């Protein structure tokens, strides 16, 4: 993919560099996840009368919000998470930016927010990457994590869809989401809490879904687990997601292995990494399937040996193996508790495409029009 032209005109205001090039390289060498930010941000405003307007690139800076700003009270907000990678042959590309633009629109619609046209979403990325390409790390496993977001900026305590909205795009050079990298995680099956219910906001990328999960995550930690696994809200039986990521189950081994991920019933987030792995799995000759799996099947599959690997997938964490499961009804190990062969093959295939080390057969890379390389 290459950049398209948006109907919005972006005003460009460059920042005075906050840090020296040496300090930047020091920060990029060990970025952690989501704790340092690049020099610029993109802002676009929307109101009911003018639609999208005042698109600008500005220095990254704190916001000043009236305490009566609607989002602080009623959480009318959506976000995305995607990554830009330094390419093996030079340049910078964002992975599946178009798919993230579409999901951002879908999330906005569910939260009664205005839909940002895809071309403006892509141009915002282009404008930010042009200004901050020096902040794209080059180490393997590092990337520039892009965080588009949109929130109700109207100052009112009345509960209604905001008639003033702000879109922001910020960027955070990032390493592994989990401090232990691709080491397998232990998960806690939550029977007390639900992430989403039919008719709710589970399929939208909105902060409330994450806020509502924090208490269950704390409960998982009390049980000595790294992450919480969400079950369906009705029977507490069917597996849906892990923390803020989708889950995949691998049955069998070798060339005949089958990958199954819970189907998108409306309560799951339609993960872009999940979708990419279904495609890559087929490319690698594996059988892929969207279906459903109960807690009992998860346990008996592991105990009987037919279920060989389980992994979580998402933009931030890429692929993270699940090594062990704990629940109020018992505990079990997945495979030998380590990272599985299929999980690691898929992970490698994905990161090779993201970094331009393997052909981009599905045209998933959005090549930013960066004019100079730092
Ligand atoms: C992602 O995988 O990008 C996510 O959005 C998960 C989390 C960091 C919120």
């Amino acid at each position: 993919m290459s950049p398209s032209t948006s109907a919005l005109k972006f005003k460009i205001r460059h920042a005075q560099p906050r840090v020296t090039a040496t300090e930047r390289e020091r920060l990029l060498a060990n970025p952690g996840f989501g704790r340092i930010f690049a020099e610029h941000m993109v802002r676009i405003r929307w109101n009911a009368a003018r639609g999208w307007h005042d698109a600008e690139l500005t220095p990254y800076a704190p916001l000043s919000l009236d305490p009566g700003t609607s989002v602080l009270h009623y959480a009318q907000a959506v976000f995305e998470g995607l990554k830009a990678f330094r390419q093996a042959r030079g340049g910078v590309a964002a992975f599946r930016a178009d798919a993230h633009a579409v999901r951002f629109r879908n999330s906005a619609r569910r939260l009664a927010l205005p839909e940002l046209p895809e071309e403006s979403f892509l141009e915002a990325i282009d404008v930010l990457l042009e200004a901050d390409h020096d902040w794209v790390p080059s180490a393997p496993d590092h990337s520039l994590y892009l965080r588009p977001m949109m929130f109700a900026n109207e100052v009112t305590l009345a509960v209604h869809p905001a008639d003033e909205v702000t879109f922001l795009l910020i960027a955070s050079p990032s390493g592994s989401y989990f401090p232990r990298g691709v080491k397998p995680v232990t998960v806690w099956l939550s029977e007390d809490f639900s992430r989403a219910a039919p008719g709710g906001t589970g399929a939208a990328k909105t902060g409330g879904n994450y806020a509502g999960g924090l208490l269950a995550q704390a409960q998982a930690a009390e049980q000595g687990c790294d992450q919480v696994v969400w079950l369906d809200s009705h029977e507490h039986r069917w597996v849906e997601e892990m923390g803020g990521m989708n889950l995949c189950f691998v049955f069998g081994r070798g060339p005949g292995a089958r990958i199954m991920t819970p189907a998108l019933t409306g309560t799951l987030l339609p993960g872009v990494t999940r979708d990419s792995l279904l495609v890559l799995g087929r490319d690698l000759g594996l059988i892929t399937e969207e279906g459903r799996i109960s807690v009992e099947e998860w346990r008996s599959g592991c105990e009987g040996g037919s279920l060989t690997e389980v992994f979580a997938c998402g933009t931030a964490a890429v692929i993270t193996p699940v090594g062990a499961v704990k629940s109020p009804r018992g505990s079990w190990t997945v495979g030998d508790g380590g990272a599985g062969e299929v999980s690691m093959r898929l992970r490698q295939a994905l990161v090779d495409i993201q970094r331009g080390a393997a052909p981009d057969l599905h045209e998933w890379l959005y090549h930013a029009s960066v004019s100079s390389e730092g």
Side-chain angles (χ1 to χ4, degrees):
M1 281 189 64
S2 55
S4 57
T5 315
S6 145
L8 285 169
K9 275 265 156 288
F10 284 74
K11 198 168 124 192
I12 307 292
R13 205 152 53 84
H14 283 287
Q16 287 300 322
R18 249 192 346 246
V19 294
T20 60
T22 314
E23 174 62 4
R24 186 182 63 233
E25 290 314 312
R26 194 189 65 76
L27 290 168
L28 292 185
N30 184 19
F33 180 83
R35 56 179 179 78
I36 56 175
F37 295 93
E39 304 267 10
H40 296 87
M41 62 187 191
V42 170
R43 178 175 12 228
I44 313 176
R45 297 179 195 277
W46 179 92
N47 66 31
R50 296 178 62 194
W52 293 106
H53 63 280
D54 285 355
E56 57 176 350
L57 174 89
T58 71
Y60 183 93
L63 306 175
S64 164
L65 290 182
D66 187 297
T69 304
S70 178
V71 68
L72 301 176
H73 305 271
Y74 308 127
Q76 194 194 4
V78 295
F79 69 96
E80 267 304 320
L82 69 161
K83 285 176 169 174
F85 298 88
R86 208 163 274 294
Q87 296 295 288
R89 293 203 182 89
V92 167
F95 186 67
R96 301 203 67 182
D98 52 348
H100 286 278
V102 169
R103 191 173 66 179
F104 193 60
R105 282 182 76 147
N106 293 340
S107 298
R109 194 177 320 118
R110 178 61 185 87
L111 271 287
L113 284 161
E115 292 176 43
L116 182 72
E118 273 100 312
E119 65 266 30
S120 300
F121 183 99
L122 296 177
E123 191 159 2
I125 290 174
D126 224 33
V127 163
L128 190 66
L129 289 179
E130 168 84 45
D132 279 339
H133 60 87
D134 284 344
W135 287 83
V136 184
S138 43
D141 289 345
H142 291 182
S143 61
L144 187 66
Y145 186 80
L146 301 171
R147 176 51 65 89
M149 65 192 120
M150 189 197 292
F151 59 89
N153 201 24
E154 186 183 345
V155 177
T156 179
L157 298 186
V159 181
H160 63 214
D163 61 21
E164 266 181 48
V165 166
T166 297
F167 167 87
L168 294 175
L169 170 64
I170 58 173
S172 176
S174 293
S176 299
Y177 181 72
F178 291 115
R180 293 187 298 141
V182 287
K183 287 246 168 58
V185 292
T186 300
V187 297
W188 170 250
L189 301 188
S190 180
E191 292 189 356
D192 295 343
F193 301 106
S194 298
R195 175 185 169 276
T201 57
K205 205 156 175 66
T206 182
N209 291 342
Y210 296 79
L214 295 176
L215 191 55
Q217 177 60 38
Q219 197 181 57
E222 275 166 26
Q223 298 292 334
C225 294
D226 304 294
Q227 286 286 306
V228 59
V229 162
W230 300 110
L231 306 175
D232 76 289
S233 62
H234 183 55
E235 296 183 74
H236 298 289
R237 176 172 182 216
W238 304 101
V239 179
E240 297 207 327
E241 294 189 22
M242 182 193 93
M245 281 156 256
N246 294 114
L247 277 169
C248 290
F249 297 80
V250 181
F251 295 87
R253 291 192 165 75
R258 172 170 63 93
I259 304 166
M260 198 285 292
T261 187
L264 302 177
T265 56
T267 53
L268 282 78
L269 188 78
V272 175
T273 307
R274 170 191 181 279
D275 180 72
S276 308
L277 294 176
L278 286 173
V279 175
L280 283 182
R282 285 192 288 275
D283 288 354
L284 294 178
L286 304 168
I287 300 159
T288 61
E289 183 194 339
E290 296 172 85
R292 66 177 191 170
I293 181 166
S294 66
V295 173
E296 308 89 80
E297 287 162 346
W298 185 348
R299 182 177 189 158
S300 62
C302 287
E303 288 172 351
S306 59
L307 177 42
T308 48
E309 301 175 32
V310 178
F311 62 86
C313 59
T315 296
V318 196
I319 281 184
T320 303
V322 175
V325 186
K326 269 189 171 183
S327 83
R329 289 156 221 278
S331 309
W332 64 94
T333 305
V334 180
D336 63 3
E341 186 259 328
V342 171
S343 314
M344 290 302 99
R345 255 176 83 206
L346 279 167
R347 188 177 204 282
Q348 196 58 49
L350 180 66
V351 302
D352 281 351
I353 295 175
Q354 291 175 326
R355 308 198 151 275
D360 179 20
L361 300 177
H362 303 286
E363 300 192 359
W364 282 341
L365 294 178
Y366 178 74
H367 294 277
S369 53
V370 169
S371 47
S372 61
E373 293 255 1

PDB file of all heavy atoms in Angstrom, residues 79 81 145 147 177 205 210 244 314-316, ligand 1:
ATOM      1  N   PHE A  79      -9.958   3.827  20.738  1.00  0.00           N
ATOM      2  CA  PHE A  79      -8.543   3.928  20.382  1.00  0.00           C
ATOM      3  C   PHE A  79      -8.152   2.781  19.471  1.00  0.00           C
ATOM      4  O   PHE A  79      -8.931   1.862  19.231  1.00  0.00           O
ATOM      5  CB  PHE A  79      -7.648   3.982  21.631  1.00  0.00           C
ATOM      6  CG  PHE A  79      -7.576   2.707  22.432  1.00  0.00           C
ATOM      7  CD1 PHE A  79      -6.533   1.811  22.220  1.00  0.00           C
ATOM      8  CD2 PHE A  79      -8.517   2.398  23.403  1.00  0.00           C
ATOM      9  CE1 PHE A  79      -6.431   0.638  22.963  1.00  0.00           C
ATOM     10  CE2 PHE A  79      -8.427   1.233  24.145  1.00  0.00           C
ATOM     11  CZ  PHE A  79      -7.394   0.346  23.927  1.00  0.00           C
ATOM     12  N   GLY A  81      -4.315   0.479  18.233  1.00  0.00           N
ATOM     13  CA  GLY A  81      -2.903   0.237  18.512  1.00  0.00           C
ATOM     14  C   GLY A  81      -2.317  -0.446  17.289  1.00  0.00           C
ATOM     15  O   GLY A  81      -2.813  -1.501  16.882  1.00  0.00           O
ATOM     16  N   TYR A 145       5.158   2.063  18.401  1.00  0.00           N
ATOM     17  CA  TYR A 145       3.746   1.736  18.635  1.00  0.00           C
ATOM     18  C   TYR A 145       2.930   3.009  18.424  1.00  0.00           C
ATOM     19  O   TYR A 145       3.195   4.040  19.050  1.00  0.00           O
ATOM     20  CB  TYR A 145       3.590   1.224  20.072  1.00  0.00           C
ATOM     21  CG  TYR A 145       2.207   0.715  20.397  1.00  0.00           C
ATOM     22  CD1 TYR A 145       1.800  -0.559  20.013  1.00  0.00           C
ATOM     23  CD2 TYR A 145       1.311   1.494  21.102  1.00  0.00           C
ATOM     24  CE1 TYR A 145       0.537  -1.028  20.307  1.00  0.00           C
ATOM     25  CE2 TYR A 145       0.038   1.030  21.409  1.00  0.00           C
ATOM     26  CZ  TYR A 145      -0.336  -0.233  21.005  1.00  0.00           C
ATOM     27  OH  TYR A 145      -1.594  -0.709  21.306  1.00  0.00           O
ATOM     28  N   ARG A 147      -0.587   5.053  18.539  1.00  0.00           N
ATOM     29  CA  ARG A 147      -1.832   5.028  19.313  1.00  0.00           C
ATOM     30  C   ARG A 147      -2.781   6.147  18.844  1.00  0.00           C
ATOM     31  O   ARG A 147      -2.713   7.271  19.299  1.00  0.00           O
ATOM     32  CB  ARG A 147      -1.487   5.194  20.796  1.00  0.00           C
ATOM     33  CG  ARG A 147      -2.654   5.290  21.763  1.00  0.00           C
ATOM     34  CD  ARG A 147      -3.667   4.209  21.633  1.00  0.00           C
ATOM     35  NE  ARG A 147      -3.250   2.860  21.935  1.00  0.00           N
ATOM     36  CZ  ARG A 147      -3.302   2.279  23.140  1.00  0.00           C
ATOM     37  NH1 ARG A 147      -3.731   2.951  24.170  1.00  0.00           N
ATOM     38  NH2 ARG A 147      -2.961   1.009  23.300  1.00  0.00           N
ATOM     39  N   TYR A 177       5.810  -6.231  25.010  1.00  0.00           N
ATOM     40  CA  TYR A 177       4.708  -5.824  25.895  1.00  0.00           C
ATOM     41  C   TYR A 177       4.881  -6.471  27.264  1.00  0.00           C
ATOM     42  O   TYR A 177       4.745  -5.822  28.291  1.00  0.00           O
ATOM     43  CB  TYR A 177       3.372  -6.232  25.268  1.00  0.00           C
ATOM     44  CG  TYR A 177       2.198  -5.828  26.120  1.00  0.00           C
ATOM     45  CD1 TYR A 177       1.828  -4.493  26.218  1.00  0.00           C
ATOM     46  CD2 TYR A 177       1.470  -6.777  26.840  1.00  0.00           C
ATOM     47  CE1 TYR A 177       0.759  -4.106  27.011  1.00  0.00           C
ATOM     48  CE2 TYR A 177       0.406  -6.398  27.621  1.00  0.00           C
ATOM     49  CZ  TYR A 177       0.046  -5.056  27.699  1.00  0.00           C
ATOM     50  OH  TYR A 177      -1.003  -4.684  28.496  1.00  0.00           O
ATOM     51  N   LYS A 205     -12.992  -1.164  20.305  1.00  0.00           N
ATOM     52  CA  LYS A 205     -11.762  -0.908  21.066  1.00  0.00           C
ATOM     53  C   LYS A 205     -11.991   0.388  21.847  1.00  0.00           C
ATOM     54  O   LYS A 205     -11.704   1.488  21.381  1.00  0.00           O
ATOM     55  CB  LYS A 205     -10.559  -0.819  20.110  1.00  0.00           C
ATOM     56  CG  LYS A 205      -9.262  -1.164  20.831  1.00  0.00           C
ATOM     57  CD  LYS A 205      -8.213  -1.637  19.868  1.00  0.00           C
ATOM     58  CE  LYS A 205      -6.875  -1.877  20.535  1.00  0.00           C
ATOM     59  NZ  LYS A 205      -6.851  -2.979  21.505  1.00  0.00           N
ATOM     60  N   TYR A 210     -11.380  -2.129  28.907  1.00  0.00           N
ATOM     61  CA  TYR A 210     -10.114  -2.417  29.597  1.00  0.00           C
ATOM     62  C   TYR A 210     -10.241  -2.062  31.076  1.00  0.00           C
ATOM     63  O   TYR A 210      -9.786  -2.813  31.948  1.00  0.00           O
ATOM     64  CB  TYR A 210      -8.960  -1.660  28.924  1.00  0.00           C
ATOM     65  CG  TYR A 210      -8.756  -2.134  27.499  1.00  0.00           C
ATOM     66  CD1 TYR A 210      -9.582  -1.687  26.469  1.00  0.00           C
ATOM     67  CD2 TYR A 210      -7.783  -3.077  27.195  1.00  0.00           C
ATOM     68  CE1 TYR A 210      -9.441  -2.147  25.170  1.00  0.00           C
ATOM     69  CE2 TYR A 210      -7.625  -3.547  25.900  1.00  0.00           C
ATOM     70  CZ  TYR A 210      -8.456  -3.075  24.886  1.00  0.00           C
ATOM     71  OH  TYR A 210      -8.316  -3.547  23.609  1.00  0.00           O
ATOM     72  N   GLY A 244      -6.224  -8.267  27.104  1.00  0.00           N
ATOM     73  CA  GLY A 244      -6.585  -7.451  25.943  1.00  0.00           C
ATOM     74  C   GLY A 244      -6.166  -8.098  24.643  1.00  0.00           C
ATOM     75  O   GLY A 244      -5.826  -7.402  23.691  1.00  0.00           O
ATOM     76  N   GLY A 314      -1.928 -10.332  19.727  1.00  0.00           N
ATOM     77  CA  GLY A 314      -2.399  -8.949  19.676  1.00  0.00           C
ATOM     78  C   GLY A 314      -1.269  -8.099  19.116  1.00  0.00           C
ATOM     79  O   GLY A 314      -0.129  -8.557  19.040  1.00  0.00           O
ATOM     80  N   THR A 315      -1.582  -6.877  18.763  1.00  0.00           N
ATOM     81  CA  THR A 315      -0.551  -6.010  18.190  1.00  0.00           C
ATOM     82  C   THR A 315       0.594  -5.816  19.174  1.00  0.00           C
ATOM     83  O   THR A 315       1.771  -5.968  18.817  1.00  0.00           O
ATOM     84  CB  THR A 315      -1.165  -4.650  17.813  1.00  0.00           C
ATOM     85  OG1 THR A 315      -2.121  -4.879  16.797  1.00  0.00           O
ATOM     86  CG2 THR A 315      -0.103  -3.681  17.324  1.00  0.00           C
ATOM     87  N   ALA A 316       0.258  -5.484  20.411  1.00  0.00           N
ATOM     88  CA  ALA A 316       1.309  -5.140  21.379  1.00  0.00           C
ATOM     89  C   ALA A 316       2.166  -6.359  21.702  1.00  0.00           C
ATOM     90  O   ALA A 316       3.388  -6.297  21.681  1.00  0.00           O
ATOM     91  CB  ALA A 316       0.687  -4.565  22.644  1.00  0.00           C
TER      92      ALA A 316
HETATM   93  C1  LIG B   1      -2.691  -3.970  21.437  1.00  0.00           C
HETATM   94  O1  LIG B   1      -2.399  -5.151  21.364  1.00  0.00           O
HETATM   95  O2  LIG B   1      -2.243  -3.121  20.658  1.00  0.00           O
HETATM   96  C2  LIG B   1      -3.609  -3.499  22.442  1.00  0.00           C
HETATM   97  O3  LIG B   1      -4.306  -2.586  22.184  1.00  0.00           O
HETATM   98  C3  LIG B   1      -3.568  -4.171  23.761  1.00  0.00           C
HETATM   99  C4  LIG B   1      -3.225  -3.271  24.900  1.00  0.00           C
HETATM  100  C5  LIG B   1      -1.859  -2.683  24.846  1.00  0.00           C
HETATM  101  C6  LIG B   1      -4.299  -2.275  25.179  1.00  0.00           C
END
